Amino acid sequence: MIKKSIQVGLLMALLTTGATFAQQNSAGMGAGTTTMVGKETKAKFDSQNQKGAAAVSAVKASPAKLSSADQNLMMQVAKGGMMQLEVSKVALQKASSPAVKQFAQAEVDEQTGLSAKLQEIASAKGITLPTTPDAETQAMVTKFQGMSGADLDKMYMDECGVKGHEKLDKVMSTVESSASDASLKGIAKAAHPLVKTHLKVAKQIETAM
């Protein structure tokens, strides 16, 4: 009888532990949490984002005037960043996948920091950068606002995650190789590694869909 009681007790303990684990796992999923972002752990992805943000923040703004070519490059970076930021804000609110939400949050953080640094550099040089979305960006935002669920997730990772970062990757490469201004070149060198990271992770998330 004692042996049977011990067996029943162990069985009840295992069932209780399993139920508790399932409840915790379900609660975590329901809250939109994830331990992986693409093939990166969330901790590693967060660390890469923090490192990138710190690098951008450390860039010094010089008052030296920009050439017309450098002004054009700065506008390209600003425009591309604005598109990524505004669309990612929508995705952060409406995405259904925890990994997509995590990616969108990282993108909002990245582009907010990049935009602030660009505005700081532009101000030091007496240049005015756009502070509101242009027509192309607004059209994209409106398109995403009308979407939801898996359709939005896939479209966001394709348009913003992959294609958007491919464009930024090319722009950053051009700035690094062609810009003559130290501040502009510095911000490209600081931001480019994170752009590449986000592009890699975006492809991983999209492939897993």
Side-chain angles (χ1 to χ4, degrees), residues 3-23:
K3 183 177 181 181
K4 185 175 181 180
S5 297
I6 293 174
Q7 290 175 335
V8 170
L10 286 172
L11 178 61
M12 291 301 293
L14 287 171
L15 288 173
T16 301
T17 301
T20 301
F21 176 79
Q23 288 170 354

Side-chain angles (χ1 to χ4, degrees), residues 6-167:
I6 293 174
Q7 290 175 335
V8 170
L10 286 172
L11 178 61
M12 291 301 293
L14 287 171
L15 288 173
T16 301
T17 301
T20 301
F21 176 79
Q23 288 170 354
Q24 291 174 339
N25 190 52
S26 176
M29 291 298 288
T33 58
T34 180
T35 57
M36 298 295 293
V37 185
K39 293 183 179 180
E40 304 284 344
T41 64
K42 183 178 182 299
K44 183 177 180 180
F45 187 57
D46 287 346
S47 176
Q48 291 171 320
N49 286 310
Q50 290 164 6
K51 182 179 179 180
V56 169
S57 179
V59 175
K60 301 299 182 182
S62 76
K65 299 300 181 183
L66 289 182
S67 65
S68 57
D70 279 359
Q71 285 188 44
N72 180 55
L73 287 173
M74 180 179 271
M75 288 294 181
Q76 288 184 46
V77 174
K79 181 180 178 181
M82 179 74 76
M83 173 77 81
Q84 297 290 100
L85 175 60
E86 295 303 320
V87 174
S88 293
K89 286 179 180 178
V90 179
L92 182 58
Q93 296 298 318
K94 303 191 68 176
S96 59
S97 162
V100 173
K101 278 185 176 290
Q102 177 67 26
F103 184 88
Q105 180 64 69
E107 190 64 17
V108 168
D109 293 343
E110 176 198 16
Q111 296 303 335
T112 298
L114 181 59
S115 176
K117 181 57 66 173
L118 282 173
Q119 292 289 352
E120 179 186 331
I121 292 173
S123 178
K125 298 177 182 299
I127 296 171
T128 301
L129 292 178
T131 56
T132 56
D134 61 11
E136 182 182 4
T137 297
Q138 190 55 56
M140 183 69 76
V141 168
T142 300
K143 180 179 180 179
F144 274 88
Q145 287 173 335
M147 303 178 69
S148 61
D151 288 341
L152 181 144
D153 291 351
K154 185 168 179 55
M155 181 67 75
Y156 171 68
M157 294 314 304
D158 181 49
E159 291 294 332
C160 189
V162 177
K163 292 178 182 177
H165 280 93
E166 286 176 341
K167 291 178 181 177

Side-chain angles (χ1 to χ4, degrees), residues 164-177:
H165 280 93
E166 286 176 341
K167 291 178 181 177
L168 280 178
D169 185 26
K170 291 179 181 178
V171 171
M172 292 297 183
S173 292
T174 301
V175 174
E176 286 185 72
S177 62

